């Protein structure tokens, strides 16, 4: 929990979940925040401004054209006042307006004018949430660094059941505060992260690849950036928008990943190998498309460079973190990889049809020489933040701000 009060601007838009927003104010204030509520005109149809004034202890702002309120604190000043902007509930309409950068009411204008991090807690009917228009808007907003909290799945005000409910106020407050108390544990460090799959070409139209989506590596790059590091993200081919403020180097094959990583780690403090690099690559790349002939075809594959092991063998070398994706015997295989490749830390996860690939959440087992910690099922971004804190702690145990207990796990 944050000790210092945080200045949070809570935007309330016009959805039925607005009846829960006064509780969001209370939960934030319980955690030491100062909350300024800004309502859109349609939010007024659901909850009276007086309710928010009572729970926030501050006059509610509603209009760009309120001369008295503007004289006390103009809207640009209000945008600067906020250390974070939270929109809860965020309706489909408001998400669309935010995507388009509209400035036709006070809340939309504030979102455009603020440099503070923006969080949205969507709330809408499940079909509206699933609609490609909304999903595209959400992707664009995430690409711009806006954090989407939820939505939850369950029974909806309209009687339907599905994904679209606003997260509960306590969870919104908890997650927001977690983001805001993220400390710059890697400030001044240079971090290189590899992510995504590689593609090993067979001929001009075919390749061998794997199911890695790159989501974990991209989350790690974002978490390292949030923690104050200078981040280079060496990325295989993925369909993701890179986190803002991160330098991206795009590669395709294991050989290209190898070259790009070895160049980037020169002088780096930390290397996190989250990429699913091919272990084998075709011994020849056919210059023309292979034609079918016999009933069987044998491809000869040769070992690809092991990027992680090579980085770990450098002298001087960065702090080296590997990933292990296993389908069985998670701990035993991961510990043997940790030792064989002489790593400082390994993050292991089970993969299979139901887990791991292309999902937004996961669970990790962290192993390092002399200790381990289990990170239970959570979003990949939250796991990545915990991983980053663990890296900071292991690199300089005496300087890390978080207590060991706070991170869980055992230190031998
Ligand atoms: N890795 C790498 N270069 C490779 C293969 C893997 O840098 N050519 C890195 C991955 O980025 C990951 C770790 O090694 O951090 C785990 O790779 P994995 O292939 O699972 O481990 P291996 O040691 O190859 O063991 P095995 O294939 O037997 O599971």
């Amino acid at each position: 929990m944050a000790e210092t009060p945080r200045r949070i601007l809570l935007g309330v838009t016009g959805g039925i979940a607005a009846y829960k927003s006064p509780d969001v104010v209370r939960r934030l204030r319980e955690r030491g925040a100062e909350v300024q509520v800004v309502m859109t005109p349609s939010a007024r149809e659901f909850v009276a401004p007086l309710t928010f004034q009572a729970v926030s202890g501050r006059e509610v702002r509603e209009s760009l054209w309120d001369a008295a309120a503007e004289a006390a604190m103009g809207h640009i000043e209000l945008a600067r006042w906020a250390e974070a902007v939270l929109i809860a509930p965020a309706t489909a309409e408001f998400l669309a307006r935010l995507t388009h950068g509209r400035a036709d009411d006070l809340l939309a204008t504030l979102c455009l004018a603020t440099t503070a991090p923006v969080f949205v807690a969507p709330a809408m009917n499940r079909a509206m949430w699933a609609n490609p228009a909304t999903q595209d808007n959400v992707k664009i907003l995430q690409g711009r660094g806006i954090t989407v909290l939820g939505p939850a799945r369950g029974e909806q005000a309209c009687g339907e059941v599905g994904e679209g409910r606003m997260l509960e106020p306590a969870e919104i407050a908890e997650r927001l505060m977690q983001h805001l108390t993220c400390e710059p544990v890697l400030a001044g460090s240079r971090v290189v992260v590899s992510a995504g799959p590689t593609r090993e070409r067979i001929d001009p139209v075919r390749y061998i690849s794997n199911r890695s989506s790159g989501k974990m590596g991209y989350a790690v790059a974002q978490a390292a950036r949030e923690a104050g590091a200078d981040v280079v993200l060496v990325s295989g081919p993925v369909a993701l928008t890179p986190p803002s403020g991160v330098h991206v180097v795009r590669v395709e094959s294991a050989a290209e990943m190898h070259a790009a990583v070895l160049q980037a780690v020169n002088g780096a403090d930390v290397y996190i190998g989250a990429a699913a690099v091919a272990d084998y690559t075709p011994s020849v790349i056919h210059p023309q498309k292979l034609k079918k002939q016999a009933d069987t075809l044998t491809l000869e594959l040769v070992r690809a460079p092991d990027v992680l092991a090579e980085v770990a063998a450098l002298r001087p070398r960065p702090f080296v973190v590997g990933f292990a994706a296993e389908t069985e015997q998670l701990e035993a295989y991961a510990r043997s990889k940790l030792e064989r490749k002489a790593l400082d830390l390994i993050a292991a996860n089970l993969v299979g049809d139901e887990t791991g690939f292309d999902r937004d959440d996961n669970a990790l087992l962290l192993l390092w020489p002399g200790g381990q910690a289990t990170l239970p099922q959570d979003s990949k971004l939250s796991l990545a933040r915990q991983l980053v804190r663990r890296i900071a702690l292991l690199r300089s145990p005496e300087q890390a701000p978080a207590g060991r207990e706070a991170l869980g796990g055992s230190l031998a």
Side-chain angles (χ1 to χ4, degrees), residues 92 95-96 98-100 128-144 148 241:
L95 293 177
L98 201 55
T99 306
H100 285 276
M128 290 168 76
W129 171 251
N131 191 294
T134 305
Q135 289 300 310
D136 286 352
N137 289 340
V138 167
K139 278 197 201 95
I140 291 171
L141 294 173
Q142 285 174 319
R144 293 182 194 151
V148 181
T241 309

Side-chain angles (χ1 to χ4, degrees), residues 1-8 21-35 55 83 86 149 168-181:
M1 194 195 298
E3 295 297 338
T4 40
R6 302 265 171 175
R7 296 188 306 268
I8 295 171
S21 301
D23 200 25
V24 174
V25 178
R26 284 186 47 236
R27 305 287 179 165
L28 291 170
R29 291 194 74 194
E30 274 169 17
R31 287 167 173 77
E34 258 185 273
V35 184
V55 290
E83 284 183 87
L86 166 66
L149 305 173
E168 289 306 318
E171 193 171 351
I172 293 175
E174 181 58 33
R175 291 224 210 155
L176 180 72
M177 285 317 212
Q178 257 180 21
H179 278 272
L180 296 182
T181 50

Side-chain angles (χ1 to χ4, degrees), residues 194 273-275 277-279 304-308 322-326 337 340-341:
S194 71
V277 189
D279 285 327
D306 188 325
V307 184
L308 187 65
F323 269 77
E326 307 289 353
K337 256 174 224 181
R340 201 172 64 238
K341 297 196 188 184

